[in-house]
Amino acid sequence: MVAGAIPVFFWKRTAYYQYEWFLPGEPASYSVYIDRNAVKNGTASIKEVLGRFSAAEVREMREKVIDSIPKFVYGNGGGLRDAFDVAIEGVMRRFKEQEGWGYKWK
């Protein structure tokens, strides 16, 4: 994804849940999901699934990936939100969501 490639995932936990802070909101806007069990049992063909996307759809997905690259890498403080910023914001959000924490976040 850092090179602008559209990811193809075979297990939702691979990215959609594990890295949700770093990825755009709607998974279908930047990636392709193919159920791994469907591939294993022969009810889905990777080539056929990928072949269903038009050139325009691929272009839109690639642009979404490219727009998200700063959130995947660590920057040098050039003013863009980088992976560090996204991770810290996510951790702080989790703290706020937890009940019983002694400190009240603003």
Side-chain angles (χ1 to χ4, degrees), residues 22-36:
F22 301 91
L23 300 171
E26 180 56 42
S29 71
Y30 66 88
S31 68
V32 177
Y33 173 74
I34 306 171
D35 185 272
R36 68 187 184 285

PDB file of all heavy atoms in Angstrom, residues 22-36:
ATOM      1  N   PHE A  22      -5.554   3.136  10.829  1.00  0.00           N
ATOM      2  CA  PHE A  22      -4.686   3.622   9.760  1.00  0.00           C
ATOM      3  C   PHE A  22      -5.343   3.612   8.382  1.00  0.00           C
ATOM      4  O   PHE A  22      -4.804   4.163   7.441  1.00  0.00           O
ATOM      5  CB  PHE A  22      -3.409   2.784   9.709  1.00  0.00           C
ATOM      6  CG  PHE A  22      -2.636   2.822  10.991  1.00  0.00           C
ATOM      7  CD1 PHE A  22      -2.871   1.876  11.984  1.00  0.00           C
ATOM      8  CD2 PHE A  22      -1.701   3.807  11.234  1.00  0.00           C
ATOM      9  CE1 PHE A  22      -2.184   1.906  13.190  1.00  0.00           C
ATOM     10  CE2 PHE A  22      -1.017   3.851  12.435  1.00  0.00           C
ATOM     11  CZ  PHE A  22      -1.257   2.906  13.409  1.00  0.00           C
ATOM     12  N   LEU A  23      -6.481   2.957   8.274  1.00  0.00           N
ATOM     13  CA  LEU A  23      -7.093   2.755   6.971  1.00  0.00           C
ATOM     14  C   LEU A  23      -8.314   3.643   6.768  1.00  0.00           C
ATOM     15  O   LEU A  23      -8.970   4.034   7.727  1.00  0.00           O
ATOM     16  CB  LEU A  23      -7.502   1.284   6.832  1.00  0.00           C
ATOM     17  CG  LEU A  23      -6.330   0.306   6.937  1.00  0.00           C
ATOM     18  CD1 LEU A  23      -6.841  -1.127   7.003  1.00  0.00           C
ATOM     19  CD2 LEU A  23      -5.392   0.485   5.760  1.00  0.00           C
ATOM     20  N   PRO A  24      -8.647   3.952   5.504  1.00  0.00           N
ATOM     21  CA  PRO A  24      -9.848   4.738   5.230  1.00  0.00           C
ATOM     22  C   PRO A  24     -11.093   4.018   5.758  1.00  0.00           C
ATOM     23  O   PRO A  24     -11.087   2.807   5.955  1.00  0.00           O
ATOM     24  CB  PRO A  24      -9.884   4.815   3.703  1.00  0.00           C
ATOM     25  CG  PRO A  24      -8.497   4.520   3.264  1.00  0.00           C
ATOM     26  CD  PRO A  24      -7.917   3.601   4.303  1.00  0.00           C
ATOM     27  N   GLY A  25     -12.159   4.746   5.947  1.00  0.00           N
ATOM     28  CA  GLY A  25     -13.361   4.199   6.559  1.00  0.00           C
ATOM     29  C   GLY A  25     -14.008   3.026   5.850  1.00  0.00           C
ATOM     30  O   GLY A  25     -14.312   2.022   6.462  1.00  0.00           O
ATOM     31  N   GLU A  26     -14.248   3.116   4.587  1.00  0.00           N
ATOM     32  CA  GLU A  26     -14.976   2.076   3.859  1.00  0.00           C
ATOM     33  C   GLU A  26     -13.992   1.141   3.152  1.00  0.00           C
ATOM     34  O   GLU A  26     -13.358   1.533   2.174  1.00  0.00           O
ATOM     35  CB  GLU A  26     -15.915   2.732   2.843  1.00  0.00           C
ATOM     36  CG  GLU A  26     -16.730   1.764   2.027  1.00  0.00           C
ATOM     37  CD  GLU A  26     -17.564   0.809   2.866  1.00  0.00           C
ATOM     38  OE1 GLU A  26     -18.171   1.257   3.858  1.00  0.00           O
ATOM     39  OE2 GLU A  26     -17.595  -0.376   2.537  1.00  0.00           O
ATOM     40  N   PRO A  27     -13.865  -0.104   3.619  1.00  0.00           N
ATOM     41  CA  PRO A  27     -12.882  -1.030   3.049  1.00  0.00           C
ATOM     42  C   PRO A  27     -12.981  -1.221   1.533  1.00  0.00           C
ATOM     43  O   PRO A  27     -11.954  -1.309   0.856  1.00  0.00           O
ATOM     44  CB  PRO A  27     -13.155  -2.344   3.776  1.00  0.00           C
ATOM     45  CG  PRO A  27     -13.739  -1.934   5.080  1.00  0.00           C
ATOM     46  CD  PRO A  27     -14.567  -0.703   4.760  1.00  0.00           C
ATOM     47  N   ALA A  28     -14.190  -1.264   0.997  1.00  0.00           N
ATOM     48  CA  ALA A  28     -14.351  -1.488  -0.439  1.00  0.00           C
ATOM     49  C   ALA A  28     -13.858  -0.301  -1.273  1.00  0.00           C
ATOM     50  O   ALA A  28     -13.667  -0.437  -2.480  1.00  0.00           O
ATOM     51  CB  ALA A  28     -15.806  -1.781  -0.770  1.00  0.00           C
ATOM     52  N   SER A  29     -13.609   0.838  -0.644  1.00  0.00           N
ATOM     53  CA  SER A  29     -13.146   2.011  -1.388  1.00  0.00           C
ATOM     54  C   SER A  29     -11.648   1.966  -1.684  1.00  0.00           C
ATOM     55  O   SER A  29     -11.161   2.733  -2.505  1.00  0.00           O
ATOM     56  CB  SER A  29     -13.477   3.293  -0.624  1.00  0.00           C
ATOM     57  OG  SER A  29     -12.671   3.422   0.536  1.00  0.00           O
ATOM     58  N   TYR A  30     -10.912   1.081  -1.016  1.00  0.00           N
ATOM     59  CA  TYR A  30      -9.459   1.037  -1.206  1.00  0.00           C
ATOM     60  C   TYR A  30      -8.890  -0.378  -1.285  1.00  0.00           C
ATOM     61  O   TYR A  30      -7.688  -0.549  -1.498  1.00  0.00           O
ATOM     62  CB  TYR A  30      -8.742   1.766  -0.059  1.00  0.00           C
ATOM     63  CG  TYR A  30      -8.903   1.083   1.280  1.00  0.00           C
ATOM     64  CD1 TYR A  30      -8.016   0.099   1.692  1.00  0.00           C
ATOM     65  CD2 TYR A  30      -9.956   1.409   2.120  1.00  0.00           C
ATOM     66  CE1 TYR A  30      -8.190  -0.549   2.904  1.00  0.00           C
ATOM     67  CE2 TYR A  30     -10.123   0.784   3.332  1.00  0.00           C
ATOM     68  CZ  TYR A  30      -9.234  -0.197   3.716  1.00  0.00           C
ATOM     69  OH  TYR A  30      -9.409  -0.835   4.914  1.00  0.00           O
ATOM     70  N   SER A  31      -9.721  -1.410  -1.106  1.00  0.00           N
ATOM     71  CA  SER A  31      -9.195  -2.774  -1.091  1.00  0.00           C
ATOM     72  C   SER A  31     -10.207  -3.766  -1.637  1.00  0.00           C
ATOM     73  O   SER A  31     -11.371  -3.443  -1.853  1.00  0.00           O
ATOM     74  CB  SER A  31      -8.825  -3.177   0.335  1.00  0.00           C
ATOM     75  OG  SER A  31      -9.994  -3.294   1.133  1.00  0.00           O
ATOM     76  N   VAL A  32      -9.725  -4.984  -1.837  1.00  0.00           N
ATOM     77  CA  VAL A  32     -10.574  -6.073  -2.297  1.00  0.00           C
ATOM     78  C   VAL A  32     -10.521  -7.152  -1.233  1.00  0.00           C
ATOM     79  O   VAL A  32      -9.443  -7.511  -0.753  1.00  0.00           O
ATOM     80  CB  VAL A  32     -10.070  -6.642  -3.640  1.00  0.00           C
ATOM     81  CG1 VAL A  32     -10.906  -7.832  -4.084  1.00  0.00           C
ATOM     82  CG2 VAL A  32     -10.041  -5.555  -4.705  1.00  0.00           C
ATOM     83  N   TYR A  33     -11.694  -7.640  -0.861  1.00  0.00           N
ATOM     84  CA  TYR A  33     -11.764  -8.753   0.090  1.00  0.00           C
ATOM     85  C   TYR A  33     -12.305  -9.982  -0.635  1.00  0.00           C
ATOM     86  O   TYR A  33     -13.340  -9.923  -1.292  1.00  0.00           O
ATOM     87  CB  TYR A  33     -12.671  -8.416   1.277  1.00  0.00           C
ATOM     88  CG  TYR A  33     -12.895  -9.610   2.175  1.00  0.00           C
ATOM     89  CD1 TYR A  33     -11.882 -10.054   3.015  1.00  0.00           C
ATOM     90  CD2 TYR A  33     -14.087 -10.308   2.155  1.00  0.00           C
ATOM     91  CE1 TYR A  33     -12.063 -11.164   3.820  1.00  0.00           C
ATOM     92  CE2 TYR A  33     -14.275 -11.417   2.960  1.00  0.00           C
ATOM     93  CZ  TYR A  33     -13.261 -11.841   3.788  1.00  0.00           C
ATOM     94  OH  TYR A  33     -13.443 -12.944   4.573  1.00  0.00           O
ATOM     95  N   ILE A  34     -11.570 -11.081  -0.522  1.00  0.00           N
ATOM     96  CA  ILE A  34     -11.999 -12.361  -1.067  1.00  0.00           C
ATOM     97  C   ILE A  34     -11.892 -13.370   0.070  1.00  0.00           C
ATOM     98  O   ILE A  34     -10.808 -13.566   0.624  1.00  0.00           O
ATOM     99  CB  ILE A  34     -11.109 -12.810  -2.252  1.00  0.00           C
ATOM    100  CG1 ILE A  34     -11.045 -11.718  -3.330  1.00  0.00           C
ATOM    101  CG2 ILE A  34     -11.621 -14.120  -2.833  1.00  0.00           C
ATOM    102  CD1 ILE A  34     -10.021 -11.991  -4.422  1.00  0.00           C
ATOM    103  N   ASP A  35     -12.992 -13.979   0.417  1.00  0.00           N
ATOM    104  CA  ASP A  35     -12.996 -14.927   1.533  1.00  0.00           C
ATOM    105  C   ASP A  35     -12.035 -16.084   1.270  1.00  0.00           C
ATOM    106  O   ASP A  35     -12.109 -16.727   0.225  1.00  0.00           O
ATOM    107  CB  ASP A  35     -14.408 -15.457   1.769  1.00  0.00           C
ATOM    108  CG  ASP A  35     -14.477 -16.336   2.985  1.00  0.00           C
ATOM    109  OD1 ASP A  35     -14.252 -17.558   2.850  1.00  0.00           O
ATOM    110  OD2 ASP A  35     -14.733 -15.808   4.088  1.00  0.00           O
ATOM    111  N   ARG A  36     -11.154 -16.316   2.192  1.00  0.00           N
ATOM    112  CA  ARG A  36     -10.129 -17.354   2.025  1.00  0.00           C
ATOM    113  C   ARG A  36     -10.741 -18.740   1.877  1.00  0.00           C
ATOM    114  O   ARG A  36     -10.225 -19.582   1.142  1.00  0.00           O
ATOM    115  CB  ARG A  36      -9.136 -17.315   3.179  1.00  0.00           C
ATOM    116  CG  ARG A  36      -9.702 -17.728   4.516  1.00  0.00           C
ATOM    117  CD  ARG A  36      -8.701 -17.492   5.650  1.00  0.00           C
ATOM    118  NE  ARG A  36      -9.185 -17.959   6.919  1.00  0.00           N
ATOM    119  CZ  ARG A  36     -10.117 -17.355   7.664  1.00  0.00           C
ATOM    120  NH1 ARG A  36     -10.667 -16.238   7.218  1.00  0.00           N
ATOM    121  NH2 ARG A  36     -10.487 -17.863   8.809  1.00  0.00           N
TER     122      ARG A  36
END
